[in-house]
Amino acid sequence: MRVVVVLLAATAVGTLVSAASASPHDVNVSNVTLNVATYPLQGDDVLLKAAGLDKTPYKVKYQDLSSGGLQTQAVNSGVADIGRGSGVANALVAAAGPIHFFSVATLKISTYQQDTIVLKSSGITSVAQLKGQKVAYVPNTTPQYFLLKQLQAAGLSWSDITPVPLDTSTGLAALLSGSVAAFATFGNVNTALTEGATVLADGGPYLKGRLGALQGTYNAYAADLKNPGKEAAIADFIARVNTAFAWTRSHATQWAAILAKNTSQPQATVLANFEGSEKAANSWVGANTAEAISNEQDYGNAFLQTGVITSPVDAASTFSNKLSGQIAADEAAYQKKYPSYFAKPSWLTAT
């Protein structure tokens, strides 16, 4: 079942905790309903179904939300039990406070298609030329951070541009119509290139941080970490996602066909993009890492220093290791159950 949500406000304060959780095999989860925020057309629902991992012992309801910022807000409000968030989104939501979510798992994905783009016909060839211009960006997620860093590298500040917060589709339309001079975006860069855009600046180098990949998290609604059934379901769901990530690499052509159909792109293009992305950094989600916390603190510090936010961020307070042990155990069990999924294909191991 899929629903579209309106975000509501919620309040709470997070603290870093560590403890064990129970697996769905030890807890009766048949009455649990997990509300999962996911990306449209290529999110966790599509991923788990493709890998044959969508038959869960608990119920799952998916909510389409197009950015990590929206998913973090949905979890923070209690509208969703879990969702993906970028470290950037988490830092910005935490700064706005109060918070009611915990990052319970670290996500690593490629920085592919995280760029600031302009029209080829614009004559803009450097970030410095954006001074005084309207620049669109996807708010509360990775583009807001890498655009800030790109401006700094060019000797500019946030106040030197007119920032225009837009979602991915609206921002691209604004760029193509000439309403904005540039657009900091993610995921739809290749589409933009076919419609007359060109990459002005790569956001990837600013996002790799200590993980060497784009750092994200799976966030959980704080109250769920007091519910054994929800805890067990969340840990199992995350382990299924990691197993499905492995499946996409060992079934790249099949996965590309699904994405191509869902997104109306040529399968060959999708396959090439997917393989290039996975070569740069294998998609992975698992127990929290210290590097993820440090990265998120860096994001918060950067936004504070430049005046984008006015309240300091305590990144560690938004992380919880309560499910780390169970996530690791569940992932090990799935790897044992589906060893063929985790076999590295020739295209990934080729030099």
Side-chain angles (χ1 to χ4, degrees):
M1 178 177 179
R2 183 182 304 282
V3 295
V4 178
V5 300
V6 176
L7 302 182
L8 307 173
T11 60
V13 177
T15 54
L16 185 67
V17 294
S18 179
S21 180
S23 78
H25 305 293
D26 303 322
V27 176
N28 182 3
V29 294
S30 61
N31 293 323
V32 171
T33 297
L34 204 59
N35 295 296
V36 179
T38 192
Y39 291 94
L41 304 177
Q42 51 191 329
D44 290 340
D45 53 338
V46 178
L47 182 67
L48 295 187
K49 184 177 181 180
L53 295 167
D54 57 324
K55 305 301 182 184
T56 60
Y58 42 87
K59 300 177 183 68
V60 180
K61 292 183 179 179
Y62 290 99
Q63 308 166 6
D64 283 344
L65 294 169
S66 61
S67 74
L70 291 175
Q71 292 188 33
T72 300
Q73 291 173 42
V75 175
N76 193 47
S77 70
V79 172
D81 294 308
I82 61 171
R84 293 190 193 184
S86 69
V88 173
N90 294 348
L92 289 169
V93 172
I99 61 169
H100 201 43
F101 75 91
F102 287 116
S103 298
V104 295
T106 292
L107 174 69
K108 293 196 298 184
I109 56 177
S110 171
T111 60
Y112 188 66
Q113 292 200 81
Q114 298 266 349
D115 303 293
T116 296
I117 57 178
V118 295
L119 290 179
K120 292 179 181 178
S121 58
S122 68
I124 298 173
T125 57
S126 70
V127 175
Q129 291 175 272
L130 298 180
K131 185 173 182 179
Q133 301 276 6
K134 290 183 179 179
V135 180
Y137 68 97
V138 186
N140 293 330
T141 194
T142 47
Q144 187 167 354
Y145 178 75
F146 70 67
L147 176 59
L148 173 65
K149 302 303 284 187
Q150 289 166 347
L151 292 170
Q152 289 178 330
L156 302 178
S157 68
W158 198 252
S159 61
D160 286 318
I161 64 169
T162 300
V164 183
L166 297 172
D167 62 37
T168 52
S169 59
T170 308
L172 180 55
L175 177 70
L176 297 177
S177 70
S179 299
V180 298
F183 181 33
T185 185
F186 69 94
N188 61 349
V189 173
N190 285 341
T191 299
L193 299 185
T194 66
E195 299 186 27
T198 187
V199 173
L200 177 68
D202 181 6
Y206 301 106
L207 297 172
K208 289 183 178 179
R210 293 172 175 82
L211 287 176
L214 175 58
Q215 180 250 317
T217 59
Y218 267 81
N219 299 324
Y221 185 49
D224 289 342
L225 300 186
K226 298 178 182 179
N227 181 321
K230 285 286 181 76
E231 287 181 339
I234 290 168
D236 177 73
F237 187 89
I238 290 169
R240 286 171 184 263
V241 169
N242 187 59
T243 306
F245 281 153
W247 177 89
T248 63
R249 289 187 288 272
S250 56
H251 297 75
T253 300
Q254 189 174 340
W255 177 233
I258 294 169
L259 292 186
K261 180 179 179 180
N262 288 358
T263 60
S264 301
Q265 297 180 74
Q267 183 175 336
T269 300
V270 173
L271 179 60
N273 290 341
F274 171 73
E275 292 185 352
S277 177
E278 289 298 311
K279 285 178 181 178
N282 283 182
S283 300
W284 172 88
V285 59
N288 278 324
T289 68
E291 291 85 357
I293 299 174
S294 296
N295 278 351
E296 191 165 312
Q297 190 63 56
D298 288 345
Y299 301 146
N301 292 345
F303 285 128
L304 182 66
Q305 291 166 5
T306 54
V308 174
I309 60 176
T310 57
S311 299
V313 174
D314 178 11
S317 70
T318 68
F319 281 77
S320 170
N321 292 330
K322 189 176 185 183
L323 303 186
S324 291
Q326 191 57 56
I327 290 170
D330 288 347
E331 289 187 347
Y334 279 117
Q335 187 164 354
K336 184 177 181 180
K337 184 175 181 179
Y338 301 101
S340 65
Y341 287 11
F342 292 86
K344 287 188 176 181
S346 58
W347 60 265
L348 189 59
T349 59
T351 56

